[in-house]
Amino acid sequence: MTRVLVVGSINMDLVVATATFPRLGETLFGQGFATHAGGKGANQAVAAARLGAKVTMLGRVGDDAFGRELMAGLSADGVDTRWVGVTAGVSTGIAAITLCNADNAIIVVPGANALLSPDDLDVAEAAFAEADVVLAQLEVPLATVEHAATLAVRHGKPFVLNPAPAMRLPDSLLARSTLITPNEYELAMALGEPDAHWQGLLAALPGRVAMTKGGEGAYYSDGAGAVLHQAGFPVQPVDTTGAGDTFNGALVAFWDLGLAEAVRRGCAAGALSVTKPGAQGGMPTLAELNAFLGSRP
Ligand code: RIB
């Protein structure tokens, strides 16, 4: 059982389903509204836990109803929340999500996620020592992500960075990341190379990039810089929110199987995740993933 430490965001997703995306200044009637547990950090933690990893989450919520509901949800999925802080006077993070034809547009209001500090990580340093792999994203302050990388390196643990939402990564953070897991746009932004082709960027970081590409699956570079492809698993999408998070959670849950196999299972788990509503709604259990892979030639 892989021991995973996730450092990241916890959001309540406020999801409006609509037939078309609104234009600027336009008012539309939506088709439905739902709240779902979300946040890239929490999503990745839940994805890994459902697949059998022993997951600890390091994050922050507000002292409000969303925070309590999200904490209960993490615990119900078996995620250890002892290092999730609760701050009074600030809202739990939320994401306003417009869902249209299984695709989405998202506005994140970080709330308590913005208060997750390097000091919070120092208090929880034992969690880094106990982990087999540390996973982070970019929905908490960059200084905190950088400190997570520092602590992972200090304890000799692989540091996997999902550089989402997209931003240019400081060279020092990139250097401390064992593996980055962007999508195509995030890769270009992370490396500050908006005009470069993704294949060249992958080859330039041998063994250190696994790039998701929607229904096409994932591309990754091996230790010699060769670019390898894992094909996607065709499914009928209902809601693609959280597909990348599921890929990341699975990747670290299967870290000990090596990059190629972890990417393959990540793609399969990501495909299953889009078949149900909500970021976490379709994330498979280990039994569901095994059944899905077993039914493939
Ligand atoms: O990656 C999907 C997630 O991004 C959503 O759950 C939302 O909370 C945003 O953080």
Side-chain angles (χ1 to χ4, degrees):
M1 188 190 274
T2 310
R3 294 167 302 172
V4 175
L5 173 63
V6 178
V7 180
S9 58
I10 304 170
N11 294 336
M12 185 61 84
D13 291 351
L14 313 177
V15 185
V16 171
T18 171
T20 55
F21 283 106
R23 285 168 302 182
L24 199 62
E26 186 182 20
T27 300
L28 291 175
F29 285 107
Q31 298 173 319
F33 173 75
T35 57
H36 296 291
K40 294 185 191 302
N43 291 343
Q44 294 178 19
V46 167
R50 287 204 189 148
L51 293 169
K54 187 174 184 307
V55 182
T56 299
M57 174 97 212
L58 222 166
R60 194 163 276 284
V61 294
D63 187 9
D64 54 20
F66 283 167
R68 285 185 281 281
E69 188 178 335
L70 292 166
M71 291 278 268
L74 286 166
S75 296
D77 267 302
V79 175
D80 182 347
T81 58
R82 111 182 63 152
W83 300 114
V84 178
V86 180
T87 307
V90 61
S91 67
T92 294
I94 66 102
I97 301 182
T98 306
L99 182 65
C100 177
N101 295 328
D103 226 326
N104 60 52
I106 304 180
I107 300 173
V108 172
V109 181
N113 295 304
L115 300 180
L116 187 71
S117 70
D119 287 349
D120 291 328
L121 274 52
D122 284 336
V123 171
E125 188 166 348
F128 287 82
E130 288 163 10
D132 295 318
V133 54
V134 179
L135 173 63
Q137 322 74 30
L138 298 173
E139 283 187 338
V140 296
L142 185 60
T144 304
V145 177
E146 293 195 273
H147 198 54
T150 299
L151 290 177
V153 169
R154 181 185 298 169
H155 288 277
K157 307 303 165 104
F159 181 74
V160 178
L161 177 62
N162 175 223
M167 73 165 71
R168 172 80 164 101
L169 295 180
D171 291 343
S172 56
L173 177 56
L174 187 60
R176 280 172 287 164
S177 301
T178 312
L179 182 77
I180 60 169
T181 57
N183 63 24
E184 184 177 353
Y185 174 68
E186 290 158 357
L187 176 65
M189 295 300 288
L191 303 181
E193 300 271 10
D195 300 322
H197 193 273
W198 58 266
Q199 283 190 313
L201 298 178
L202 249 68
L205 288 170
R208 296 186 51 217
V209 187
M211 186 193 85
T212 54
K213 208 163 186 295
E216 268 184 53
Y219 293 84
Y220 57 102
S221 55
D222 70 6
V227 175
L228 305 174
H229 179 216
Q230 168 60 56
F233 293 80
V235 289
Q236 190 61 48
V238 171
D239 181 355
T240 58
T241 312
D245 296 333
T246 310
F247 173 86
N248 276 276
L251 185 89
V252 293
F254 297 115
W255 185 256
D256 58 335
L257 299 182
L259 187 58
E261 186 57 24
V263 166
R264 186 176 84 91
R265 296 188 189 206
C267 286
L272 280 171
S273 77
V274 307
T275 61
K276 292 184 186 160
Q280 298 175 15
M283 287 176 180
T285 62
L286 185 57
E288 288 167 341
L289 180 67
N290 287 341
F292 181 68
L293 285 170
S295 68
R296 307 267 138 179

